[in-house]
Amino acid sequence: MAQRITIDPVTRIEGHLRVDVEVDGGEVTKAWSSGQMYRGLENILKGRDPRDAWLFVQRICGVCTTVHAMASVRSVENALGLEIPLNAQLVRNMVQSIHCLHDHIVHFYALSALDWVDVVSALDADPVATAKLADSLSDWHGNSPKRFAAVKDKVKTLVASGQLGPFANAYWGHEAMKLPPEANLMAVSHYLEALDYQRKATQALAIIGGKNPHVQNLSVGGVTTNLFSENQTAVTMERLYYIKQLVEEVRDFIKMVYMTDVVAVGALYKDWLPYGAGVTNYMAAPDMFLDAAGTKADLPGGTIFDGDLSTIKPINTIADQYFIDNVQESIAKAWYDGDWSKHPWESSTDPKFTEFEDDGKYTWLKAPRFQGKPMQVGPLAQMVVGYAQGHERTVKAVDACLSRISAVAGVQVGPEILHGTIGRHAARAVRAGMMADLALEHWDHLVNNLASGDYEIFNPPVFPKGEQRGVGVHEAPRGLLSHWIVIQDGKIKNYQAVVPSTWNAGPRDAEGQLGPYEASLMGNPIADPERPLEVLRTIHSFDPCIACAVHMLDPEGKEMVKVKAL
C-alpha cells in the first residue's frame, strides 16, 4: 500500500514550498508541488509609474537580488522601443554575471551539498589521505593535510558541543549517504572556504551595483553608475580593477574547487545518474548582450522538446517573437479565481484560496506553459540549449566536465547524464565557470568602450498616450525570467512576473501534465520514508526560490499559516 509523505516546509531553499509524495515499493509513484504563500506585488504595481516598477519587484526576493530589477527595466524599454547605450548594457552584464557567481556558489555549498555530504562522517577521515584525494582532483592551494586536520578539529568541537549550527537537522548516517570519510572532510573544508568566496562576489556586486542586496544603479533607459568622476561615489578605474581582482579570485575557486566537488559527487554517486529527469522540454533565454539593441548575445537561448537535441529552435533576441507568442499561464490547479489559461499580458493574480486538494487546486503557483507544454528552465536548460546549437563555449565546457566525471567514475558518460538530478548540479557548475569568464570579458569590453571615448549611460524614456505592451526577458541564475507589462497613458495597467521557479515548481495544468518538480520525483528511490532525503536531493537540484514564485501579503499583519519543520 502506498505511503503518503508530506515535507512542509522544504528547508534550505528561499521561500515556502510543500512537497507531497506517495511511495510504493520503495519509489515515488505520485508527487505534488505546492507554493504555500501568495504574492501580491503584481496588484500593488497597478496604476504606478513604470519607471518605479523595478524598485518594487526586486524586493520579491533577497537572494535573486538583481534579476527582477533587470527584467523589469527591460520590459518597460521593450514597451517603449527604447534602446539603451552600450555602456549601460555592459554594466548590466557585469551585474548579472557577478550576481550569478555568488548565487551558484551559495546553491551548491549552503543549500544542497548537505544532501550528499555526511558532515559527521568527516570525523573518521585521515587528513593526509584527504589531501592525497584532493590533490588527485585539483591543485587548489587550500588542499593541505594541515588545513584538513584543522577542519576536522573544528567539526569535532562542533559535534562535542551538541550544537551543530548550520549542520544541524540533516540526515547524518542515512543509508543513502555514500561518500567515504575523506571525501566528506574535503567537502566540509570547501564548504567553509565557500563562505569567503561568496563574500568576495557579493563585495564586487555591491561596488558595481551601488548596493547589495538590491542594486541601486539601474534605470529605465540605462544605468546610473558614475563612471567618470573621481568622487567617492564613482566607480573609478581603481574600483573597476578591484572588481576584476575579486572576480578573478572567485573564478579560481569555482574552477578549482566548486567544479571539482561537483565532479566528485557526480562520480561517487554514479548510481544516481538515472534519477530526477522529469520534464525534458527545455527553454533558455539569450543574455549577456554584446550590442546596445540586444540582438547579439554571449549566452544562447532556445527551446528543446522531449530531450531531443535535434528539435532545437533558437531564441535569438532580447524580445524574440517566437518566445512572446507562445507563453501562457494556467491556473487550473492554483488558488486563483477561475480556471483559465491566458497569455501573461491578459492574465491576472486574483487570489481564491481553498484547501489542499489532490485532484483540485493545491498551490499558489501558476503553471506556465510554452506551446501548451511544461518546460524546465535553469542552468541545465541553458547548457543543453547551447550544446544543441554547437555553441563553442558551452560545448567545450560541458565536454570538459563530462570527461572529468568519466575519469573519476571509471565509466564513460555523455551528455545524456545531464538529464537528471546530478546533471543539474553539473550544468550549474559549468555555467558558473562560464559566467566567471564572461564577467572578466565584459569588464574588458566596458573598459575598452570607455577608452574609445563613449561615455553614454542613459537614454531618457518617453511615454506616449495610449497603450504599450512590453516583455523583459532575463536568464537568471535559476533560469528564464520574464516580466510582462501593459502601460496605459504612462501608468501600469497590468504587470505579471513569470519566474524560473514558477516554470519548474508549477502544478499540473488542466490537461493533467505534471510540472517539472513533480515529474522529476517520479521513480526516485526512497530508502527510509521517515527520512526522505532522496526527495530533497532532486528538489534542491533545481535551486527553488518560492519567494520569487509566490509572495505573502497581509496588511493587518495577522498570522496566515503555521508550519512544523521536520
Side-chain angles (χ1 to χ4, degrees), residues 432-504:
M434 288 172 54
M435 294 300 280
D437 290 338
L438 287 172
L440 294 169
E441 290 177 22
H442 284 251
W443 183 96
D444 284 337
H445 294 327
L446 175 63
V447 170
N448 290 336
N449 197 53
L450 291 171
S452 73
D454 178 5
Y455 301 124
E456 297 297 326
I457 60 170
F458 177 71
N459 291 327
V462 177
F463 292 88
K465 288 288 185 183
E467 181 180 287
Q468 301 88 41
R469 296 184 172 205
V471 59
V473 178
H474 174 50
E475 188 65 18
R478 290 171 175 81
L480 192 151
L481 167 68
S482 58
H483 283 210
W484 306 76
I485 191 169
V486 180
I487 302 170
Q488 180 71 48
D489 298 330
K491 300 293 183 184
I492 296 174
K493 180 181 178 182
N494 195 12
Y495 198 101
Q496 297 296 325
V498 184
V499 314
S501 291
T502 317
W503 282 103
N504 288 334

Side-chain angles (χ1 to χ4, degrees), residues 82-87 89 289-295 318 459:
L82 177 64
E83 190 172 298
I84 64 172
L86 180 57
N87 284 329
Q89 195 77 276
F289 292 100
L290 291 159
D291 60 347
T295 60
I318 202 167
N459 291 327

Side-chain angles (χ1 to χ4, degrees), residues 380-392:
L380 172 56
Q382 191 170 66
M383 292 304 104
V384 174
V385 162
Y387 201 89
Q389 295 181 64
H391 181 250
E392 183 177 355

